[in-house]
Amino acid sequence: MANYKPDLSCLNKFISINFAEQILPGTLEYALCYIVENKLDLSSFDAWYNNDKSGAAAYPPTVMLKIILLGYAHGLISSRRIAKACENNILFMSVRGSSAALHINSKFRGQNARAD
C-alpha cells in the first residue's frame, strides 16, 4: 500500500503576513487604494463626524470607501459579505489595514448612498 503524507489543506495555520506587501503595483487593489487616497476629495465626509472634542474616533472614510469599492469589484454587494471578506480575505484585510470592526459598513453605506 502507498504511503502518502496527510492532506492538511483544510487545517488552519498561523502565519505572519505583512499586509503592506499584499497590495502589489499593477493590481486592481493597488489602483483602488491609490485613487481613493490621492485623487478623490473626501473632505465632505468630515461634516458627518462631529467627534473632534468628544465621542469615539471614527473609521476614516478612505478605508470604508476602499473596502466598499473593493467588495463591489469582487461582486460583493451585501454589507455582511463584505464584512466577512474583511475577516477572511487577505486582500480585504490589507486594504482595511488596522481598522477592525466593520459592522458599521452598512451604516456608512446608508448615510452616504447619494453623492450630493
Side-chain angles (χ1 to χ4, degrees):
M1 170 156 261
N3 184 15
Y4 297 111
K5 292 185 178 196
D7 179 11
L8 303 175
S9 61
C10 297
L11 297 179
N12 292 334
K13 185 174 185 179
F14 294 105
I15 56 175
S16 62
I17 296 173
N18 183 346
F19 289 133
E21 293 177 355
Q22 303 305 310
I23 307 293
L24 302 174
T27 63
L28 170 71
E29 294 80 14
Y30 183 87
L32 180 81
C33 290
Y34 178 79
I35 290 170
V36 170
E37 292 171 1
N38 299 305
K39 298 296 183 182
L40 296 180
D41 178 21
L42 301 177
S43 61
S44 61
F45 286 103
D46 293 339
W48 284 94
Y49 300 104
N50 287 329
N51 62 348
D52 53 344
K53 296 185 183 188
S54 64
Y59 293 104
T62 53
V63 172
M64 300 302 289
L65 187 59
K66 288 188 291 186
I67 290 169
I68 290 169
L69 293 176
L70 183 61
Y72 289 169
H74 285 273
L76 304 174
I77 57 174
S78 161
S79 295
R80 289 181 183 176
R81 287 188 178 168
I82 293 172
K84 185 172 182 176
C86 288
E87 294 173 2
N88 300 323
N89 187 303
I90 297 296
L91 290 175
F92 280 81
M93 289 180 197
S94 300
V95 167
R96 94 170 183 221
S98 63
S99 300
L102 293 168
H103 60 278
I104 57 167
N105 192 359
S106 61
K107 183 178 179 184
F108 179 84
R109 289 173 57 191
Q111 288 177 340
N112 302 293
R114 287 184 350 154
D116 294 339

